[in-house]
Amino acid sequence: MSGKDPNSITITVEGSNRSASLPVLSGTIGPSVVDIRKLYNQLGMFTYDPGYGGTAACESKITYIDGDAGILLYRGYPIEQLAEQSTFLETAHLLLNGELPNEMQKHEFEMGVMRHTMVHEQLRQFYNGFRRDAHPMALMCGVAGALSAFYHDSLDINDPESRRINAFRLIAKMPTIAAWAHKYNIGQPFMYPRNDLDYAANFLYMFHAVPAETYHSNPVLARAMDLILILHADHEQNASTSTVRLAGSTGANPFACIAAGIASLWGPAHGGANEAVLKMLGEIGHKDNIPDFIAKVKDKHSHARLMGFGHRVYKNYDPRAKIMQRTCHEVLAELGIKDDPLLDLAVELEHIALHDPYFVERKLYPNVDFYSGIILKAMGFPTSMFTAIFAVARTVGWVSQWREMIEDPEVRIGRPRQLYTGPTQRDYVPIDRR
Ligand code: SDX
């Protein structure tokens, strides 16, 4: 490859006179991209990138990550500043609409969300079709997908008003759906949303309150939950967001696309990692067992991984993990938990890993999932709910990215190609000759 013209590169096939000239496109920050859309027409070749580690699947203005520097920006604002000074719904407005709201816009957006926190009363029946011990993510996949059966009035994805109201519906109803999944699991009555509480406090209320007792909202825990939601709101073209975009590119309705995103997030390599971290810490049990566990992780045959560590993009400390660790100490202090054995074990494990050449050489650092589970467990959430909470937050990012794609005049159905290594053409063999 040579790049005389900074706005294009030429690819020449060794030993032939065939070459392709491809445009180079640059963004506002971050790596430029080689536009390969005409490569097949010019050279009869595809590019090959399983896992899309080196492929820009779209243009986006929403979130920027610099993995080497450990930078995360939502519409240009550093995650550290939003975590410190913003709220989840204000951040949701920013991700969806591109700008921080003024006072009036903020109030209108919050009212728009709070007006949609209730779900159709018949949607409650969907829970009864599941076993009581169904994983909350199974419940969320099913119920979120079922939303499209209740909102026939707004399934026209090309209508801006439908897109606007569906954004409110999805952001507003996800906490209700998630909290009810937990209530269903433990056999307690569903708690209806309370619009006198803010978004995070309302979620904690629906999750923890019971009809038999007066509920007192804890502002410190509500603030911690709001912060956790901010940190998980969006993250560029991660696996679940790419799932939502691919589903959306076919014209599927937003509820079906979000259900697909929930399913993708569930995997332990992605959003399911927070639950896997707690399981891992439980298996390690004590600091004395850390060296044996680390040895197992290094043994390729064991397939064991240090969950909550490593990232496809971050080759430095995930900025969200730093904020999460700090919040961990604040929440435990608020709850009067002096020394949480899980946190002590996690801090020791992180210390050992960050000084072990195996992890240093592979640039494996704690990611957002390493500490989040410890906070959520301290706040009274069962581990099975951790990824469901991630899904509540990431619904804002999914809806923002989905809407950006739908409003892109160049949007086309996503349809990757392949490198075929299967059998060449051959004739059918009747069974008596096989
Ligand atoms: C999230 O994409 C996003 O933005 C996701 C996310 C978001 O906000 O949407 O940030 C949320 O999903 C965070 C990641 C949560 N997952 C985990 O914590 C699970 C544990 N982490 C890994 O499975 C892994 O690090 C991934 C899946 C996150 C990233 O995998 P990659 O980029 O495909 O890296 P890889 O599998 O190619 O690994 C490269 C090397 C390998 O060793 P070698 O073959 O080179 O010897 O690093 C090793 C891997 O074995 N490795 C690990 C490891 N992660 C990578 N070894 C031990 N423990 C780990 N966690």
Side-chain angles (χ1 to χ4, degrees), residues 162-207:
S162 286
R163 293 199 295 268
R164 189 186 70 84
I165 193 170
N166 283 332
F168 279 141
R169 280 174 169 154
L170 282 159
I171 294 167
K173 296 177 192 315
M174 216 48 83
T176 309
I177 291 169
W180 286 9
H182 172 65
K183 288 299 192 186
Y184 185 71
N185 280 158
I186 61 175
Q188 283 188 358
F190 291 174
M191 299 304 289
Y192 287 101
R194 271 180 49 185
N195 292 347
D196 61 311
L197 296 173
D198 68 30
Y199 191 89
N202 178 41
F203 177 57
L204 293 179
Y205 165 76
M206 293 189 288
F207 187 86

Side-chain angles (χ1 to χ4, degrees), residues 65 231-241 265 267-274 276-277 297-298 300 304-315 318 320 358-359 362-365 367-370 390 394:
I65 302 170
L231 296 177
H232 287 82
D234 192 50
H235 212 241
E236 199 211 69
Q237 304 311 317
N238 59 85
S240 54
T241 296
L265 185 73
H270 188 15
N274 49 23
V277 167
V297 168
K298 295 177 184 176
K300 292 296 173 200
R305 287 215 158 175
L306 183 48
M307 300 311 280
F309 257 69
H311 198 277
R312 172 62 56 78
V313 177
Y314 288 124
K315 299 309 171 190
D318 182 334
R320 303 168 297 177
Y358 177 91
F359 298 94
R362 290 165 177 80
K363 298 186 178 179
L364 301 176
Y365 291 87
N367 59 52
V368 68
D369 293 303
F370 191 65
F390 195 152
R394 189 52 57 89

Side-chain angles (χ1 to χ4, degrees), residues 223-236:
R223 173 62 193 140
M225 175 50 68
D226 198 75
L227 172 60
I228 289 169
L229 295 172
I230 290 173
L231 296 177
H232 287 82
D234 192 50
H235 212 241
E236 199 211 69

Side-chain angles (χ1 to χ4, degrees), residues 15-27:
S16 84
N17 60 356
R18 292 190 303 151
S19 68
S21 173
L22 300 170
V24 172
L25 309 176
S26 297

